[in-house]
Amino acid sequence: MAGYYVSVLDGKRKGLLLGPYDTHQEALDNVKRGISLAVAADTRAVFYAFGTVKITAETLPKAVFNT
């Protein structure tokens, strides 16, 4: 099973903000939303790096801001 996520990086810390989505495009379409949610939760998030990631696993992890 595979899923696409909106991801966040802060130095060595990594996180999954939104997802899983069925397609990479869906994750890409939600990056701005993920940034907005992260900044609302922590104003320091404006300095973090955001993007997408694909995870393949038997059980997909939950994201912080589930869709």
Side-chain angles (χ1 to χ4, degrees), residues 8-16 47-49:
V8 60
L9 297 174
D10 174 30
K12 293 183 180 182
R13 298 184 323 152
K14 305 171 194 172
L16 302 173
F47 301 106
Y48 300 168

Side-chain angles (χ1 to χ4, degrees), residues 4-61:
Y4 295 88
Y5 292 84
V6 174
S7 60
V8 60
L9 297 174
D10 174 30
K12 293 183 180 182
R13 298 184 323 152
K14 305 171 194 172
L16 302 173
L17 297 179
L18 296 168
Y21 296 103
D22 292 330
T23 67
H24 186 224
Q25 188 61 53
E26 288 176 285
L28 288 170
D29 291 344
N30 281 281
V31 171
K32 286 184 181 180
R33 183 171 153 242
I35 293 169
S36 295
L37 290 168
V39 171
D42 180 356
T43 56
R44 294 173 292 182
V46 296
F47 301 106
Y48 300 168
F50 298 89
T52 61
V53 64
K54 178 182 179 181
I55 296 178
T56 303
E58 286 187 32
T59 303
L60 292 174

